[in-house]
Amino acid sequence: MKMRSKRTCFLAALLAGAVLLSPLSAWAGSCCGGGLATSLILPKFYSSMVDVSVDVEKYNGYWDHQGIHRADPAGSDLQQYRLNMGYGQRFSPRWQASVVAPYVWNSNVYSGLSSRTDGLGDMSMSLWYEALDDLSAWKVRSIKDMTPSVLIGTSLLIPTGISPYDEVNNSFDVTGRGFYRLDGNVLVSKTIHPWSATLSLAYGTYLERTVNREYGNYVEPYHKQLGDRTIALFSLSYIMYFGTGGDTITGIASISQLREADATINGVRDSSSGFKKDTVSGTIVYSSTDHDWIVRMMWNHAIMFDGWGENFPSTDIYTLGVSYGFR
Amino acid sequence: MDSAKMRLLLLMLLLIAGCGGMMDDIVPSDKDKRPAITCGITGPDVCQNAPDFTLSDTLGNIVSLSSVVSTPGVSGTVIYFTMWCPICDMHMSNMRASVLPNYPAVRFLIVDYVSGSVAMARNEELSNGYSGSGFTVLADTSQAVLDSFHATMGTTIVVDSAGVVRFNEDYKDGARLRSVLSALP
């Protein structure tokens, strides 16, 4: 029974981690840079974890301000590559923290221009509290078996990337947004073997900053604050056991919505700045028998039709990640 | 976390914080660091004489800045640099809706610096819905104009009828652009 409980907690955390490690969105390498950091969640019985992943994000047009999907310029090939390095540490049975740092390569090829730049992206530090444990079973026998795991967390995005407000030559150099952001996160996950469902909600607010330089040119200083950001993600998973040792493969399908409100400049709303994006994802996660090694492959796809985004690039993101947990 | 791990984490953070230019975002400055500008010489900065250029528009017409600004009845010229990205589209849509109709004596030039030919620039103008918009789209196929104005995506420049730069900033909500255009003689 204890073994099953451990496995269940592990799977719940694994699914939660797979969800949160999904790169929900990034600003376009084609125009705005924006290497992103996500979060890392440790399985229940691990003291620490190291995670390394590689994202390949390919740009396939954008939605304009009316939600009409438009193609990128003919002859263009716009991609961003990210190497994400994460470390998570457990402080107590219910508290854990993590840090994720991306390194970003922008590759922009147009019919009349090409550019390749790289640099550190924006880092993220997170703190999580495991409020409820999922005590799910293979069969629901009582209401207690319906208890989900609930994680409550906060994340701080740190502007370690190259932003438009740094000493840059042009927009191709950008790998970060240049603002601190504080997020509140809630993650609810429930496993009834072999199925699992996860709902993740995040609300973030950027901290106001002063700007005295744009793309390398000093300007009259002003105050700027990006708009509040909300992310909602729902995923459904199916866990398969194979072999005699307990290796698992988990298939995850998810849908996410990202919204960012308009920025303000000196307290006045900039109506040309907000955006939204909806995506779907498919993820395959392999976990070794002892669960120390986790390998995941993910495909995040923007629905490239009118109305599935506004004022934002549409992309496909391919991710390959490996985690190792220390007990 | 044991002390060794804590020290390693702090060391990593210090190394990262020391990376070039990052402190500009970690601790943003509110200092006005604009350099002193020499007015009256050719350059992209406010009060300087705008570098002249000659480009083809997307219909094959040859357009030079000097001829545009000196056209009788033209009080000023707006030059916007685009790479046909979502932010560029948002800026151009905003300008099209809230600026362009209110300044009939101002010419609006859009400089496409990513398309490698006039035909491709025309294709982008059409596919992004800017045909007949009131903008004149120019093909800067060698990025010579981009370089001469030290511009990038979203750079917006206003040149008055004397050929002097009156505004050179990243486009925002159009408010400052409108105020500069309203002040043109």
Side-chain angles (χ1 to χ4, degrees), chain A residues 27-32 47-48 62-66 70-75 87 89-91 99 101 110-113 120 123 125 158-163 165-167 169-172 177-180 209-215 217-222 224 262 265 268-274 311-313, chain B residues 1-2 5-6 9 12-13 16-17 19-35 45 83-94 112-117 120-121 123-124 126-130 140-143 146 149-155 168-176:
Chain A
W27 269 106
S30 63
C31 69
C32 328
S47 62
S48 61
Y62 69 92
W63 295 281
D64 68 12
H65 66 289
Q66 295 175 311
R70 299 191 183 277
D72 281 327
Y87 176 77
Q89 176 71 44
R90 181 176 294 284
F91 297 102
V99 58
Y110 293 90
S111 59
L113 175 67
L120 192 66
M123 291 174 61
M125 299 179 77
I158 306 168
T160 48
I162 303 165
S163 83
Y165 318 112
D166 287 322
E167 180 57 64
N169 291 323
N170 56 51
S171 60
F172 296 124
R177 299 199 69 188
F179 287 81
Y180 289 93
R209 62 165 286 177
T210 53
V211 174
N212 68 350
R213 183 165 53 183
E214 296 167 344
Y215 296 111
N217 299 318
Y218 283 107
V219 298
E220 182 180 349
Y222 61 90
K224 184 170 184 177
D262 288 334
I265 296 171
V268 178
R269 188 172 74 93
D270 176 3
S271 61
S272 68
S273 55
N311 194 27
F312 207 80
Chain B
M1 188 185 296
D2 61 39
K5 285 179 179 172
M6 182 66 81
L9 184 60
M12 284 174 60
L13 288 174
I16 290 167
C19 292
M22 186 187 303
M23 292 307 289
D24 293 340
D25 289 326
I26 300 287
V27 187
S29 169
D30 60 356
K31 298 273 192 307
D32 189 344
K33 296 183 178 178
R34 287 176 292 177
D45 295 311
M83 54 190 283
W84 307 110
C85 68
I87 291 180
C88 306
D89 174 72
M90 198 70 168
H91 291 166
M92 291 163 65
S93 297
N94 185 279
D112 170 357
Y113 61 92
V114 296
S115 295
S117 68
M120 285 185 144
N123 183 54
E124 294 316 313
L126 291 171
S127 63
N128 285 276
Y130 286 95
D140 185 18
T141 55
S142 65
Q143 293 88 47
L146 181 82
F149 281 92
H150 302 166
T152 189
M153 173 201 81
T155 298
N168 183 346
E169 289 183 9
D170 185 43
Y171 192 89
K172 297 180 183 69
D173 60 358
R176 283 174 59 82

Side-chain angles (χ1 to χ4, degrees), chain A residues 111-255:
Chain A
S111 59
L113 175 67
S114 66
S115 169
R116 283 184 174 77
T117 57
D118 61 271
L120 192 66
D122 288 343
M123 291 174 61
S124 175
M125 299 179 77
S126 301
L127 182 67
W128 288 95
Y129 175 72
E130 296 163 41
L132 272 180
D133 293 332
D134 182 354
L135 301 174
S136 62
W138 288 86
K139 190 172 181 182
V140 177
R141 298 177 191 279
S142 69
I143 193 71
K144 192 178 162 189
D145 291 333
M146 294 301 292
T147 305
S149 73
V150 177
L151 286 89
I152 301 168
T154 183
S155 301
L156 178 67
L157 186 74
I158 306 168
T160 48
I162 303 165
S163 83
Y165 318 112
D166 287 322
E167 180 57 64
V168 295
N169 291 323
N170 56 51
S171 60
F172 296 124
D173 295 341
V174 171
T175 63
R177 299 199 69 188
F179 287 81
Y180 289 93
R181 190 183 72 231
L182 193 60
D183 291 333
N185 310 309
V186 176
L187 196 147
V188 181
S189 184
K190 179 62 195 167
T191 300
I192 299 173
H193 291 283
W195 294 94
S196 184
T198 299
L199 176 66
S200 170
L201 302 171
Y203 185 86
T205 186
Y206 289 93
L207 306 188
E208 187 182 74
R209 62 165 286 177
T210 53
V211 174
N212 68 350
R213 183 165 53 183
E214 296 167 344
Y215 296 111
N217 299 318
Y218 283 107
V219 298
E220 182 180 349
Y222 61 90
H223 293 274
K224 184 170 184 177
Q225 183 176 24
L226 299 179
D228 289 353
R229 167 181 285 227
T230 55
I231 297 174
L233 184 148
F234 178 75
S235 71
L236 195 61
S237 314
Y238 186 84
I239 306 160
M240 291 171 286
Y241 295 87
F242 64 100
T244 55
D247 289 4
T248 63
I249 286 184
T250 305
I252 306 171
S254 61
I255 184 165

